[in-house]
Amino acid sequence: MLIGFICHFATLLQSPGDESRNSDLLDIHEASQPESTQSTHQGQLLKCREGVLDPQARPPDRRRWVELLFSYDGAAAHSLVVELMHMDARPEVQRTICGVIRDLGRASPGRLHLDFVDPLIVLLGAEEPGLRTAAALALAELRIGNVPARLGSIAADGDQPLAKRLAAIHALSTNTHRRDVVEQLINLLGCKTSEVVARATAGLKPAALESFGSDVGRWRSWWVRQSQLGQEQWLAGQLKIYRQRNRLLADRFRAYQEQATAGHVAMTDQLRAFQQELFRAESAELRSGRLVEWLGAPLPAVQLTALAIIKARIADEGKRPEGEVLAALLRLLGNPSPATRREALLIVQNLNDPDVVTAVLAQLEVETDLATRLTILTAIGKLNVPQAVPALIREIGGASSPECIREAAIALGKIASQTDVSETVHDSVALLKDRYHSAAAEDGSLRAALVTAMAGVADASFAAELLDAVEQDDPTILQPAIRGLRAIGNRSKLPRFRTLMQHSDARVRLAAIAAITELGHEEADLESLWTRLKPTIEPNRLVRDAAWRGYKALLSRHSIQDRIQGAERLRDLPDLEIAYLTELADSLSAGNGQSSALEEVQERLALVLTGQRKYAEAIPYLRQRYDLLQDRQDPGASAEGLRWLDAVLRASDPQDVPEVLARLTLASKTAAERERILDVVSQCLADPAVLADMGRAARLLDALESVDTQALGGQWPDLLGRAREALRSADESSPQRPA
């Protein structure tokens, strides 16, 4: 009892109240030590009595005095409680005692005594309704003195005041899960007083799944069945009732919650619209001040609207917060509302400002909300500043949640891969290795994050962990593992990378291609990249583009002949073959060397372009080839000139035809050479594909007719005349020609 008293007294000392009353309680505590005598004990009770009856005592203080009185266990203490309960002139004292008895009956029923029952029953007849209710609730919690039977007798006694009888029913109705209580209420259904019967039937309703209203007969029939049940069956039925009641209450709660939420949303929307309209109406000079005012407002809805306005200004106008607005925004990182803190973080994470970094790191040190802490770590990753690395390392090595460790590792990997943090991350190497090996195998997201951090740090000592990770099949682990091995230059897994280029996840294929592009050197690497160039094999355009860059990069590290030979693989992909040969030709031309290789590439490029009917693109290379052979007085110059002429004749714009014909005719030394020129022109004019576009065909004939006919002999006018007549006939027979 003494230990309990001391604990209770400590609570009393911490409660607010008048200093003199606390002093009285302290005197009682000191007198309650083991050496206290019987007279001292009586003094303590007198102190309690004075405190309870103090007319100046506030309700909380009086309650503490009563609780202290009940902490004593003895006849004197019980007698004092009974005495106080009989003080009709002090109803506030009686109500306080009833409240303490009710709470003790729920929490510590062993501290209540049988002596308290009779005074409570007397109080059921009190004139004050509040006191009758307090007494009824106190009696409902007593498990001594056969209280239900006594309450039933009072309720059935026609000589008792009606108010007292109804108060007794109130006490019974509180415990309808007990069969002895229900039995008393059923017995009351035979009373002649209608108010008693009505109150009894109302009290019975919580005891049954089905409500029988005021039908006394049905209630009695129901009780006949219930009274025959065993105790276990009765309790099972009551449990079912409480579960059903709980579901109904949950449904009502959800309905009220939805209604409240809808009302809150509507009110917030109106407030937001008002704020936004007010902000638009403000002059430019006053807008910053208005935002500062709203960001410091006590209402979260006002703050969130201000944050929304700031985000819209960033997105629509590129207006980033600065000065006082930024300072007010950073103060929100310590706002009591986690939702507000998170919204502020979503803005500042995109602001490259030293004050932002300082504020975010400071909030990380004190943040306790998990969702907000995760948002901070994400923000740190986006801020991408080296000074955040020590905080991230502490987060990874501390007792944080797995989610926070994961987010910190991702942020560390990002920062380490993009900035020079070699000195600050040195201590993280052993930490990351330990965390990786201690992470549960099934926690793939955490392991993937730790591998991401290793890849960013790119320390050679991570080789064992990265080699282990790259053998797994989880895409989230494979990607950073591949990047990590690539970063430390480990070529031992090139065969694995080639296999992973066929992985179902496109991101893994991209990572594998990037690794092979940087580390690959074997023919198998080139072959695997070439395979991913084909749309029939690789459906993802981004992956094909990466493979194309990798293919060119690998070939660039080979000899010129190997690079030219590499174009041979692209015959089934003519667009890529043309692009590759064009880049190679430009590279060789800019290098002012390897003239033979350049000629070979140009020759191949001209063949591929003309084979693809891309005559306009082929013309520059054919012209270069012709000029080169002419300068060398190479016998093959004449044939190259004819190829050039054929391309010019078939190109979409025939404006260069006269110049080319003039050059070739001037260079021809024999009638046979001029005859071959006429044959090329004749074959071109006879090709239906050339005449298909009549407008272009007409422009071509105009260009040919402008050529000096003397140089080409008498056959030239006849050739052009036949071509002009064929064009006229085709035009007249065209279905598109108007009638």
Side-chain angles (χ1 to χ4, degrees):
M1 188 272 290
L2 178 61
I3 294 175
F5 169 73
I6 292 173
C7 294
H8 180 70
F9 174 73
T11 304
L12 292 173
L13 286 181
Q14 294 170 359
S15 302
D18 186 82
E19 292 182 2
S20 64
R21 295 187 180 90
N22 285 340
S23 176
D24 291 339
L25 294 175
L26 182 59
D27 292 340
I28 294 176
H29 167 63
E30 291 173 348
S32 65
Q33 300 307 311
E35 63 271 12
S36 63
T37 63
Q38 183 64 29
S39 61
T40 303
H41 179 72
Q42 292 296 330
Q44 296 165 4
L45 295 180
L46 288 175
K47 281 282 189 181
C48 286
R49 187 179 189 281
E50 292 173 4
V52 172
L53 295 176
D54 184 357
Q56 302 300 320
R58 297 178 303 166
D61 292 333
R62 180 175 292 109
R63 166 89 185 198
R64 286 193 289 271
W65 280 112
V66 172
E67 289 174 345
L68 182 59
L69 176 58
F70 272 88
S71 68
Y72 292 100
D73 186 16
H78 298 159
S79 297
L80 179 54
V81 171
V82 172
E83 175 195 346
L84 295 171
M85 292 173 71
H86 283 303
M87 287 186 174
D88 295 337
R90 300 295 300 273
E92 74 280 7
V93 172
Q94 294 170 314
R95 283 196 303 271
T96 302
I97 293 175
C98 289
V100 172
I101 291 176
R102 179 196 62 193
D103 294 341
L104 287 175
R106 294 172 179 172
S108 305
R111 292 167 63 181
L112 299 178
H113 196 269
L114 187 61
D115 293 345
F116 305 152
V117 176
D118 288 341
L120 288 172
I121 288 178
V122 172
L123 291 177
L124 287 178
E127 292 184 5
E128 184 185 333
L131 183 52
R132 292 199 300 269
T133 300
L137 294 176
L139 284 166
E141 299 301 332
L142 289 178
R143 299 295 184 267
I144 53 178
N146 196 18
V147 171
R150 296 189 64 180
L151 291 171
S153 297
I154 294 171
D157 188 354
D159 294 333
Q160 294 284 347
L162 180 60
K164 185 173 183 178
R165 297 171 70 187
L166 296 180
I169 296 175
H170 185 187
L172 288 169
S173 300
T174 307
N175 293 307
T176 51
H177 61 282
R178 294 170 52 181
R179 278 205 291 187
D180 56 345
V181 170
V182 174
E183 183 177 13
Q184 296 299 326
L185 292 172
I186 289 292
N187 292 338
L188 293 174
L189 298 181
C191 289
K192 296 180 181 180
T193 306
S194 59
E195 291 90 338
V196 171
V197 175
R199 189 66 63 89
T201 54
L204 284 167
K205 288 180 182 179
L209 279 172
E210 181 182 1
S211 176
F212 305 118
S214 59
D215 191 331
V216 172
R218 295 184 68 189
W219 276 114
R220 284 174 172 167
S221 298
W222 169 80
W223 175 245
V224 170
R225 297 190 300 272
Q226 297 300 312
S227 62
Q228 295 173 357
L229 298 176
Q231 181 66 6
E232 186 174 341
Q233 292 174 303
W234 166 264
L235 292 176
Q238 291 299 302
L239 179 60
K240 187 175 182 181
I241 291 172
Y242 277 97
R243 283 176 174 168
Q244 183 186 62
R245 191 177 304 165
N246 183 60
R247 285 194 296 270
L248 291 173
L249 289 174
D251 292 341
R252 289 181 185 175
F253 174 76
R254 280 193 294 270
Y256 288 136
Q257 191 176 46
E258 290 172 2
Q259 183 179 3
T261 301
H264 176 75
V265 169
M267 182 187 69
T268 303
D269 288 344
Q270 291 180 7
L271 180 60
R272 180 180 294 115
F274 171 76
Q275 278 184 256
Q276 292 172 338
E277 187 64 30
L278 180 60
F279 185 79
R280 284 192 290 268
E282 289 281 21
S283 63
E285 296 79 16
L286 298 178
R287 284 186 169 184
S288 293
R290 185 67 72 181
L291 285 174
V292 171
E293 175 189 345
W294 288 342
L295 291 172
L299 289 176
V302 175
Q303 295 170 334
L304 291 174
T305 301
L307 291 172
I309 291 173
I310 292 173
K311 284 196 286 189
R313 296 183 80 194
I314 294 173
D316 300 338
E317 308 169 23
K319 181 68 175 176
R320 299 160 70 88
E322 56 187 18
E324 288 298 317
V325 176
L326 178 59
L329 184 60
L330 294 179
R331 284 195 291 272
L332 285 184
L333 297 183
N335 188 272
S337 168
T340 302
R341 298 201 296 274
R342 290 194 292 272
E343 284 298 315
L345 283 163
L346 293 178
I347 295 175
V348 303
Q349 69 183 9
N350 298 309
L351 304 179
N352 187 12
D353 187 287
D355 291 340
V356 170
V357 176
T358 301
V360 170
L361 292 177
Q363 185 60 28
L364 178 64
E365 295 296 321
V366 298
E367 185 59 62
T368 57
D369 179 71
L370 176 60
T372 308
R373 197 169 185 85
L374 290 172
T375 306
I376 292 175
L377 293 168
T378 302
I380 289 174
K382 290 189 175 182
L383 290 170
N384 196 24
V385 287
Q387 54 264 46
V389 169
L392 294 174
I393 293 175
R394 286 195 300 272
E395 192 75 19
I396 296 170
S400 302
S401 67
E403 295 89 347
C404 290
I405 295 174
R406 181 188 67 236
E407 205 62 44
I410 292 173
L412 176 61
K414 181 178 179 181
I415 295 172
S417 65
Q418 297 181 10
T419 58
D420 184 11
V421 293
S422 55
E423 294 183 5
T424 53
V425 300
H426 178 74
D427 295 337
S428 70
V429 173
L431 172 64
L432 288 172
K433 291 168 74 73
D434 291 342
R435 277 293 190 191
Y436 177 78
H437 290 294
S438 63
E442 61 273 13
D443 195 349
S445 60
L446 176 57
R447 292 169 68 86
L450 293 168
V451 174
T452 299
M454 294 180 193
V457 174
D459 192 285
S461 62
F462 289 137
E465 288 74 22
L466 295 172
L467 291 171
D468 169 72
V470 83
E471 292 298 335
Q472 301 181 38
D473 193 52
D474 184 347
T476 61
I477 294 179
L478 280 172
Q479 294 172 70
I482 295 170
R483 289 199 304 271
L485 290 173
R486 170 187 164 196
I488 65 175
N490 191 305
R491 285 190 166 92
S492 64
K493 288 296 181 179
L494 278 172
R496 173 64 172 163
F497 295 162
R498 293 194 288 268
T499 301
L500 290 175
M501 287 172 63
Q502 305 171 39
H503 197 277
S504 59
D505 192 297
R507 295 167 299 178
V508 174
R509 300 200 297 274
L510 281 170
I513 287 172
I516 287 179
T517 299
E518 188 166 328
L519 302 177
H521 56 89
E522 302 176 11
E523 177 65 20
D525 299 324
L526 201 59
E527 184 73 18
S528 62
L529 288 170
W530 170 73
T531 302
R532 306 317 298 181
L533 299 176
K534 301 178 180 179
T536 54
I537 295 176
E538 176 51 68
N540 189 290
R541 177 60 182 271
L542 293 176
V543 178
R544 293 200 303 272
D545 289 347
W548 173 234
R549 292 191 297 271
Y551 184 79
K552 292 187 294 182
L554 253 65
L555 280 175
S556 69
R557 298 198 284 268
H558 288 66
S559 67
I560 291 296
Q561 286 305 315
D562 288 342
R563 293 166 67 183
I564 296 174
Q565 187 64 30
E568 293 292 328
R569 298 179 188 269
L570 302 173
R571 287 195 172 186
D572 294 337
L573 302 165
D575 289 343
L576 294 184
E577 183 182 16
I578 291 169
Y580 177 73
L581 289 170
T582 301
E583 290 182 22
L584 185 56
D586 292 344
S587 174
L588 291 171
S589 178
N592 295 321
Q594 299 284 341
S595 59
S596 60
L598 177 60
E599 291 179 38
E600 186 177 351
V601 172
Q602 290 176 333
E603 168 66 14
R604 177 60 186 272
L605 191 52
L607 284 172
V608 174
L609 288 169
T610 53
Q612 292 294 312
R613 297 183 179 275
K614 296 183 178 183
Y615 300 109
E617 297 176 36
I619 288 172
Y621 300 106
L622 291 169
R623 181 172 190 157
Q624 290 174 13
R625 289 276 302 157
Y626 176 74
D627 290 343
L628 183 65
L629 294 176
Q630 276 287 92
D631 291 343
R632 291 179 185 168
Q633 297 184 351
D634 191 304
S638 177
E640 196 67 27
L642 295 177
R643 289 177 61 199
W644 178 26
L645 173 61
D646 184 71
V648 171
L649 290 169
R650 296 175 184 276
S652 58
D653 186 357
Q655 65 177 356
D656 294 334
V657 169
E659 176 194 353
V660 176
L661 275 173
R663 284 195 60 185
L664 294 182
T665 303
L666 182 63
S668 60
K669 296 182 175 60
T670 64
E673 290 180 349
R674 289 190 290 273
E675 186 70 26
R676 284 194 290 273
I677 293 174
L678 290 172
D679 287 343
V680 170
V681 175
S682 177
Q683 291 173 16
C684 178
L685 293 176
D687 189 341
V690 174
L691 299 179
D693 183 348
M694 294 186 183
R696 182 198 165 281
R699 292 195 301 275
L700 174 60
L701 282 174
D702 291 343
L704 290 171
E705 288 172 349
S706 68
V707 177
D708 183 7
T709 57
Q710 293 181 349
L712 294 172
Q715 298 183 51
W716 182 250
D718 295 338
L719 174 62
L720 296 184
R722 290 193 303 272
R724 181 67 72 178
E725 183 61 30
L727 181 62
R728 187 180 302 110
S729 298
D731 183 39
E732 291 175 351
S733 62
S734 172
Q736 298 178 354
R737 182 182 177 86

